[in-house]
C-alpha cells in the first residue's frame, strides 16, 4: 500500500525531525528569488474582470541574494543528512543561482551529476515585449555518494532535456509555478523504485504526491502556505 503524508510547516523547521538516512529521493521546486519586478500572471480559468493574480509577485519568492543562498545552503545540509547513501536529489532552480548551489553541493561531498532542462512547448508570452519568451527551467541531478546511485538506466537512454507544455486545462489548480505531473513522473521513474520514499520539502500544489501515488511510491510533502495545502 502506498503511504502519503502532507505536513504543514516551514521545511527548515520540519526537516530536522526526519530521521537520518531514510529518504530515497528528494525532488522539489523551491523559491527562485525572481519575483521582484515580474509582470503579474492571472488565472485564465475565469473571465476577465474576475481573474485573480497568480503571478510571481509573492512574498515567499522575495529575498536578498544573501538570504536566499543562506536558506538554500541550510536546506541542502538537511537534504544531505536525510538521504540514504544511495539517495538522489533533484531540485529546480534559476540560472541566477545554479553555479552557487552546484559549488556548495560538491563541497558537501555529494556528486553533482548534471544540469537538466525543461523546455516549455507553450511558454507564456512576454507582456513587455523587450526579450524572448522564457521557455526553459533548469534543474539538477545529484547523488549523495559516488557509485551508489539508483539511476534506472534500464528504462532506456534519455536526454537531459525534457519537452512538455506548462500546466493547463483541468490539471491546473491555480498555483503560479505548478509543474506538470508528467515531468515529475518521468523524473521519479528514473530515480526510484516502487515502495521507495520520496520527499518534497516545497510541495506547492501537490504535484509530487500525485506522481508518487500514481507510481506506487511512498511520499512526504511539506508546505507552509494554507492556500497551497488546500490545493494539494
Amino acid at each position: 500500500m502506498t503511504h502519503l503524508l502532507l505536513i504543514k510547516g516551514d521545511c527548515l523547521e520540519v526537516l530536522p525531525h526526519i530521521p537520518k538516512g531514510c529518504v530515497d529521493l528528494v525532488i522539489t521546486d523551491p523559491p527562485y528569488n525572481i519575483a521582484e519586478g515580474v509582470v503579474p500572471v492571472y488565472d485564465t480559468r475565469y473571465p476577465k474582470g474576475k481573474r485573480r493574480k497568480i503571478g510571481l509577485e509573492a512574498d515567499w519568492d522575495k529575498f536578498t541574494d544573501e538570504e536566499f543562498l543562506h536558506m538554500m545552503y541550510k536546506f541542502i545540509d538537511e537534504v544531505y543528512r536525510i538521504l540514504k547513501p544511495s539517495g538522489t536529489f533533484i531540485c529546480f532552480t534559476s540560472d541566477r543561482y545554479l553555479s552557487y548551489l552546484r559549488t556548495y553541493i560538491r563541497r558537501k561531498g555529494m556528486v553533482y551529476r548534471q544540469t537538466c532542462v525543461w523546455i516549455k512547448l507553450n511558454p507564456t508570452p512576454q507582456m513587455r515585449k523587450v526579450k524572448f519568451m522564457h521557455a526553459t527551467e533548469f534543474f539538477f541531478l545529484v547523488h549523495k555518494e559516488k557509485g551508489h546511485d539508483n539511476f534506472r538506466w534500464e528504462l532506456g537512454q534519455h536526454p537531459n532535456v525534457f519537452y512538455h507544455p506548462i500546466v493547463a486545462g483541468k490539471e491546473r489548480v491555480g498555483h503560479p509555478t505548478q509543474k506538470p505531473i508528467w515531468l515529475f513522473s518521468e523524473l521519479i521513474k528514473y530515480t526510484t523504485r516502487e515502495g521507495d520514499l520520496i520527499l518534497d520539502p516545497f510541495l506547492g500544489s501537490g504535484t509530487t504526491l500525485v506522481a508518487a501515488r500514481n507510481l506506487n511510491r511512498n511520499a512526504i510533502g511539506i508546505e507552509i502556505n494554507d492556500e497551497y495545502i488546500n490545493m494539494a
Side-chain angles (χ1 to χ4, degrees), residues 161-218:
V161 178
F162 295 76
Y163 297 87
H164 197 272
I166 59 176
V167 178
K170 292 182 179 180
E171 186 177 340
R172 173 163 285 286
V173 295
H175 191 283
T177 63
Q178 184 180 349
K179 295 297 183 289
I181 295 173
W182 175 89
L183 178 59
F184 271 46
S185 297
E186 286 295 293
L187 299 175
I188 289 171
K189 282 192 294 185
Y190 269 88
T191 55
T192 62
R193 290 169 171 78
E194 288 193 11
D196 280 357
L197 177 60
I198 298 168
L199 172 67
D200 187 342
F202 299 92
L203 182 66
S205 61
T207 297
T208 300
L209 293 187
V210 174
R213 178 196 62 192
N214 293 346
L215 295 170
N216 298 315
R217 272 71 163 170
N218 302 306

Side-chain angles (χ1 to χ4, degrees), residues 21-46:
C22 68
V23 175
D24 295 286
L25 169 66
V26 175
I27 180 171
T28 195
D29 181 30
Y32 284 13
N33 195 26
I34 59 172
E36 197 71 45
V38 173
V39 175
V41 176
Y42 292 88
D43 192 338
T44 56
R45 295 178 301 166
Y46 303 97

Side-chain angles (χ1 to χ4, degrees), residues 128-191:
R128 293 176 178 171
K129 301 178 181 179
V130 295
K131 59 181 179 179
F132 300 113
M133 291 186 292
H134 186 71
T136 60
E137 284 196 43
F138 296 95
F139 61 94
F140 50 75
L141 173 68
V142 171
H143 291 121
K144 184 174 180 179
E145 292 184 3
K146 187 174 182 179
H148 294 83
D149 62 86
N150 270 334
F151 190 78
R152 299 192 61 194
W153 56 268
E154 69 273 14
L155 294 178
Q157 296 285 346
H158 197 298
N160 67 332
V161 178
F162 295 76
Y163 297 87
H164 197 272
I166 59 176
V167 178
K170 292 182 179 180
E171 186 177 340
R172 173 163 285 286
V173 295
H175 191 283
T177 63
Q178 184 180 349
K179 295 297 183 289
I181 295 173
W182 175 89
L183 178 59
F184 271 46
S185 297
E186 286 295 293
L187 299 175
I188 289 171
K189 282 192 294 185
Y190 269 88
T191 55

